[in-house]
Amino acid sequence: HSSLLLIEGRPGSGKTTLLVRISCDWGKGTIARSKLIIFVRLRYLDKTREIYLHDLLHLACRALTPNDIHGLSSYIEGRLGEDVIFMLDGFDEYGVLADEDDFICNLIEGKIFSRSTVILSSRPAATQVFRQIATQWIEVVGFMKEQVMKYIQTYYEQDKEKGLQLEQHLNKHTNVLNLCY
């Protein structure tokens, strides 16, 4: 069955990093649930023309030959996406309204490749319509103050004085600290 995992968060909160981590873990074999992960940064799709599966495959791995793309497309289509995870990063940067009838929206809604899993990351405002159909929803909140300070201490391990100066500056200027999430 199709499933949609929605990952939302503010800009810079770690959504893309989370998707990259999932991809790396899958590549290492620690996530054995699916046979194929297709990771696409939606901002790089050409919005001036219709998008198809071969466009996603080409964008996910530019090293694929046309024969490779044709073979993967046939495999995915023949199995209705079973054992395939489509990781779509940055729906808010895609620039297409969720109610438009396009490939990406149909994929997210399970209208095509109905046995696949879609993991969609976005800023919250762009994906409200998908919350109703998501099987899981995660909000990435980024670093809390304690984690920011720990990061500074680790980063400035060799120059503790600079780290201390930065911590003091952030504590004085909470508006700047709030940008460090």
Side-chain angles (χ1 to χ4, degrees):
H1 299 286
S2 174
S3 63
L4 171 62
L5 170 60
L6 187 56
I7 300 173
E8 293 181 338
R10 298 185 300 180
S13 62
K15 302 176 300 291
T16 299
T17 302
L18 176 59
L19 293 182
V20 169
R21 174 65 189 261
I22 291 169
S23 297
C24 289
D25 287 349
W26 177 82
K28 291 176 184 175
T30 57
I31 301 175
R33 187 173 161 221
S34 296
K35 294 182 180 179
L36 180 62
I37 286 184
I38 300 169
F39 181 18
V40 177
R41 291 194 168 125
L42 293 175
R43 77 172 77 158
Y44 298 120
L45 284 177
D46 182 359
K47 295 157 199 73
T48 62
R49 62 183 184 83
E50 288 191 51
I51 305 299
Y52 298 100
L53 178 59
H54 64 272
D55 299 310
L56 293 185
L57 294 172
H58 178 71
L59 190 58
C61 183
R62 297 202 183 264
L64 292 175
T65 67
N67 283 344
D68 293 337
I69 290 174
H70 177 73
L72 279 174
S73 294
S74 296
Y75 173 81
I76 294 167
E77 290 169 357
R79 298 176 51 88
L80 300 175
E82 186 174 353
D83 293 328
V84 177
I85 297 175
F86 291 94
M87 296 177 63
L88 306 176
D89 182 40
F91 185 77
D92 54 296
E93 299 173 89
Y94 180 49
V96 174
L97 297 175
D99 61 349
E100 289 186 25
D101 188 30
D102 81 326
F103 181 85
I104 298 297
C105 292
N106 286 333
L107 178 62
I108 293 167
E109 293 171 356
K111 294 178 182 175
I112 54 175
F113 308 125
S114 58
R115 295 183 182 166
S116 69
T117 297
V118 175
I119 301 176
L120 180 67
S121 75
S122 179
R123 295 176 189 172
T127 52
Q128 287 179 337
V129 68
F130 297 130
R131 287 185 196 151
Q132 299 166 2
I133 61 169
T135 51
Q136 290 185 316
W137 176 73
I138 296 171
E139 180 181 10
V140 179
V141 295
F143 285 174
M144 304 310 246
K145 179 181 178 182
E146 298 78 23
Q147 294 165 317
V148 170
M149 296 307 172
K150 182 172 173 51
Y151 181 86
I152 291 170
Q153 292 165 4
T154 303
Y155 186 84
Y156 287 106
E157 192 171 49
Q158 303 302 319
D159 192 347
K160 294 187 186 302
E161 183 60 33
K162 278 188 181 178
L164 187 57
Q165 288 173 358
L166 179 56
E167 286 182 33
Q168 290 171 347
H169 179 78
L170 291 176
N171 282 325
K172 279 186 198 172
H173 305 283
T174 55
N175 57 338
V176 178
L177 176 63
N178 292 335
L179 295 174
C180 296
Y181 63 88

